[in-house]
Amino acid sequence: MTTMAADAGAQDTTAHEADFDAAVAADERIEPRDWMPDAYRATLVRQIAQHAHSEIIGMQPEANWITRAPSLRRKAILMAKVQDEAGHGLYLYSAAETLGTGRDELLDKLHSGRQKYSSIFNYPTLTWADVGAIGWLVDGAAITNQVPLCRCSYGPYARAMVRICKEESFHQRQGYELLLALSRGTEAQHAMAQDAVDRWWWPSLMMFGPPDAESAHSAQSMAWKIKRHSNDELRQRFVDICVPQAASLGLTLPDPGLRWNEERGRHDFGAIDWTEFQEVLRGNGPCNDQRIGQRRRAHEEGAWVREAAAAYAAKHGKATA
Amino acid sequence: MNGASVTVGEAPLATAALALGDDALVLSHRLGEWAGHAPVLEEEVALANIALDLLGQARTLLSLAGDEDELAYLREERSFRNAQLVEQPNGDFARTIARQLFFSVHQHLLYGQLAAGDGPFAPLAGKAVKEVAYHRDHAEQWTLRLGDGTEESHARMQSALDGLWRYTGELFEPVEGLAVDRAALREGWLAAVTEVVERATLRMPDGPQTGAWTAGAGRQGIHTESFGRMLAEMQHLHRSHPGASW
């Protein structure tokens, strides 16, 4: 590049950057063909990929119960839910693709551990009630995180989130309803529900990420309007929503420090064990190896199927593929 | 022998509803085992979708014969009336597709006949035949891709067709209470399967379609080894909490 061209390029970038900043400030959507800072693109790819990976890894703990669902109605609901998660994975990988990063590349990064998925899915589903606890708490936390993303500055991501949030809200309700049936059922069923809530409550609170002061990506993402609220604010909202719901369920939350704070008009709650969070993140959760192992295995064992489809498409032209 | 608390209708209608309902229930369960293991994300969606359609059909059909959950969860293996084909383990993706091709082509033609008639299954079949058309198309499209894909996929698909062939004859055995033209069903099935198999550059299996201990017994309650284990997994939780509601 000559000096003149470089200058022109720099001026272009400055002009583009001003347009981009103005669009974000005016709450307009950034679309795939619009200019965007490299770091904005990279942040979105990282976040959307992590979200997509979470959807497909998140299928595993629930699929664990499809073959054991205790009634045909519950089995149908659970299969539909796990299918929705695969569908969410598809929308999200497509949203990432609009930023120039294909699904294959992202899956490679997931399989090699260079990209993460939500740590919550490294916990095991030990009983049927865990399916309910995941719906109520894990999907509930996900919705609290994701509803603001429907107003995210990047158009394709925001639009994908509108649809995903509608389905997540169904997932959350089925989890609550499943737990309610157990809580009001036999003594053994009630105990199963309480045990599941005891195990899933704290990991769900960790889903909002580290405290604001320690969150690596928060400030810039808020400035870009990718993120709209801080981790701690979303976590507080979630606690405030869950406390009355737990009471309606007839279940308790495993936190002796949980109480209404009249002055703040919100619930106080106990300290989160961030050591556990860091350990699970580092790969030392109960199911890290199992989850990523199953994902890799499905991918590797499916390679010949994908190769066959590609070979067939090459022989017969894309139109019939 | 039935579980003590299970009431199963004995009229021809109930017999036929159980045969069709158990086919759908068992195949749906097998397809559900794929969740989280499919070769590509699109197939996670597709296989779950087929499983859900079949489960919906099973629930309607079993309800014609009794209580759907009692029938699904409290019957012993010998009381299940599904064809042995649908209980066969998933195997690799080719085996799942071969099983689906054989079954969906049959179900499509069968439900087409039932929908055109005025028998008790006409309303269900009329609705289900549209779903089954998609299942059939999905299986045919994959048969073509695997058969006419790579050398490996071709070999796997051929082996799957050959391995499951002996379970196909049972699909054409008469079922009490099911008024259909069996000859037309068999003829139409053979023509359709031959057409797609040949187009996929594969060859039709040449072994027998039935055998003394292979196909032909599922409708009478004789199943294959893996079926007991499948039921043990499916029924365990329900049976562990007698009388509980879920």
Side-chain angles (χ1 to χ4, degrees):
Chain A
M1 197 186 267
T2 66
T3 312
M4 266 179 68
D7 285 351
Q11 277 167 12
D12 272 1
T13 302
T14 311
H16 282 315
E17 198 141 24
D19 287 348
F20 172 86
D21 290 343
V24 171
D27 271 336
E28 287 167 16
R29 292 273 195 263
I30 307 301
E31 295 298 337
R33 287 169 191 280
D34 294 344
W35 184 91
M36 63 188 84
D38 291 343
Y40 175 83
R41 186 185 298 274
T43 297
L44 277 168
V45 170
R46 181 182 55 77
Q47 181 171 335
I48 296 171
Q50 176 163 335
H51 189 171
H53 299 332
S54 302
E55 295 283 356
I56 63 168
I57 294 280
M59 294 169 69
Q60 291 182 29
E62 293 181 280
N64 184 34
W65 283 94
I66 287 179
T67 53
R68 291 177 288 174
S71 73
L72 297 186
R73 174 174 168 263
R74 291 289 176 200
K75 188 173 186 167
I77 293 171
L78 183 56
M79 269 207 266
K81 179 177 194 287
V82 174
Q83 184 194 31
D84 281 350
E85 282 152 12
H88 295 173
L90 281 176
Y91 314 150
L92 289 163
Y93 286 120
S94 301
E97 210 162 326
T98 66
L99 294 160
T101 311
R103 198 202 304 178
D104 289 345
E105 184 184 336
L106 296 177
L107 284 176
D108 281 347
K109 286 184 173 159
L110 169 65
H111 297 153
S112 62
R114 282 173 293 159
Q115 283 182 343
K116 301 271 182 214
Y117 55 89
S118 176
S119 261
I120 192 79
F121 300 119
N122 291 317
Y123 289 87
T125 48
L126 300 179
T127 73
W128 170 250
D130 290 29
V131 172
I134 288 185
W136 178 43
L137 294 173
V138 175
D139 293 331
I143 293 169
T144 310
N145 263 330
Q146 290 169 7
V147 164
L149 291 176
C150 299
R151 296 187 295 121
C152 161
S153 58
Y154 187 58
Y157 190 31
R159 289 188 288 274
M161 290 316 302
V162 171
R163 185 159 171 191
I164 289 173
C165 283
K166 279 184 193 157
E167 293 180 349
E168 289 294 349
S169 118
F170 158 77
H171 296 173
Q172 197 266 351
R173 283 202 302 274
Q174 70 81 34
Y176 179 88
E177 197 253 339
L178 191 164
L179 286 176
L180 189 63
L182 293 179
S183 180
R184 293 179 177 174
T186 65
E187 213 172 301
Q189 286 177 307
H190 181 89
M192 195 193 282
Q194 184 61 59
D195 166 67
V197 168
D198 289 348
R199 282 181 288 110
W200 287 93
W201 173 249
W202 289 107
S204 301
L205 293 190
M206 296 177 198
M207 283 176 69
F208 296 92
D212 294 344
E214 293 157 34
S215 178
H217 305 290
S218 283
Q220 181 61 73
S221 286
M222 301 238 327
W224 277 330
K225 295 188 181 170
I226 294 174
K227 197 178 163 107
R228 295 274 180 169
H229 308 283
S230 78
N231 294 353
D232 287 331
E233 165 57 23
L234 291 170
R235 188 167 13 245
Q236 177 72 56
R237 275 188 200 181
F238 178 66
V239 171
D240 291 335
I241 291 168
C242 286
V243 171
Q245 290 181 347
S248 306
L249 281 171
L251 298 170
T252 58
L253 296 171
D255 178 1
L258 193 61
R259 62 179 59 82
W260 178 250
N261 182 323
E262 194 65 53
E263 210 172 296
R264 290 202 305 130
R266 313 195 87 166
H267 292 89
D268 290 338
F269 55 96
I272 293 171
D273 180 1
W274 291 110
T275 318
E276 175 179 322
F277 177 76
Q278 294 300 340
E279 276 301 304
V280 177
L281 207 58
R282 218 172 277 136
N284 298 325
C287 298
N288 298 57
D289 291 347
Q290 181 186 329
R291 300 286 185 244
I292 204 70
Q294 180 178 325
R295 181 87 266 297
R296 279 198 206 119
R297 205 158 45 247
H299 193 72
E300 283 161 15
E301 286 173 3
W304 69 271
V305 177
R306 299 189 300 276
E307 283 158 16
Y312 181 89
K315 281 185 218 177
H316 296 272
K318 287 230 153 137
T320 58
Chain B
M1 181 187 118
N2 294 328
S5 60
V6 188
T7 313
V8 186
E10 282 178 9
L13 170 70
T15 307
L18 275 188
L20 300 182
D22 286 347
D23 279 352
L25 177 72
V26 171
L27 187 54
S28 165
H29 185 94
R30 285 296 190 205
L31 291 169
E33 292 173 354
W34 270 104
H37 300 274
V40 60
L41 199 44
E42 283 79 356
E43 285 307 301
E44 292 285 1
V45 178
L47 295 172
N49 204 60
I50 297 168
L52 274 167
D53 285 345
L54 289 169
L55 184 54
Q57 295 165 15
R59 296 180 65 189
T60 305
L61 286 160
L62 293 182
S63 298
L64 294 173
D67 176 84
E68 60 174 39
D69 284 337
E70 275 188 19
L71 289 169
Y73 292 100
L74 298 177
R75 271 183 301 162
E76 298 294 327
E77 182 176 339
R78 284 290 175 101
S79 302
F80 277 81
R81 293 289 177 258
N82 55 285
Q84 290 180 352
L85 174 70
V86 296
E87 75 202 31
Q88 295 310 306
N90 289 337
D92 65 4
F93 189 67
R95 200 153 171 106
T96 289
I97 290 300
R99 185 183 63 196
Q100 201 66 44
L101 177 74
F102 290 153
F103 182 76
S104 294
V105 171
H106 164 262
Q107 200 190 18
H108 190 226
L109 297 171
L110 173 67
Y111 280 27
Q113 278 198 29
L114 293 174
D118 54 4
F121 298 111
L124 163 94
K127 178 173 172 280
V129 75
K130 294 175 203 144
E131 300 167 352
V132 176
Y134 283 104
H135 308 173
R136 175 178 171 174
D137 184 53
H138 174 261
E140 289 181 351
Q141 294 301 320
W142 270 115
T143 301
L144 292 175
R145 277 156 185 73
L146 299 183
D148 195 12
T150 64
E151 207 174 308
E152 180 181 5
S153 69
H154 180 90
R156 284 177 184 260
M157 193 64 209
Q158 187 64 57
S159 152
L161 294 173
D162 293 344
L164 292 171
W165 185 247
R166 61 192 175 140
Y167 298 104
T168 55
E170 186 174 14
L171 298 173
F172 309 101
E173 295 291 320
V175 174
E176 197 192 354
L178 208 55
V180 287
D181 181 344
R182 300 257 143 213
L185 200 58
R186 182 187 276 273
E187 219 169 282
W189 182 87
L190 194 62
V193 169
T194 304
E195 194 274 330
V196 68
V197 164
E198 287 178 353
R199 200 143 57 91
T201 73
L202 297 157
R203 52 168 184 73
M204 285 296 278
D206 46 17
Q209 268 182 285
T210 55
W213 281 97
T214 56
R219 299 279 186 231
Q220 276 79 52
I222 305 294
H223 295 280
T224 47
E225 278 190 350
S226 67
F227 188 51
R229 196 167 288 110
M230 191 204 105
L231 286 185
E233 181 171 340
M234 182 173 104
Q235 296 181 335
H236 165 262
L237 177 59
H238 184 99
R239 286 180 179 237
S240 298
H241 298 263
S245 301
W246 301 94

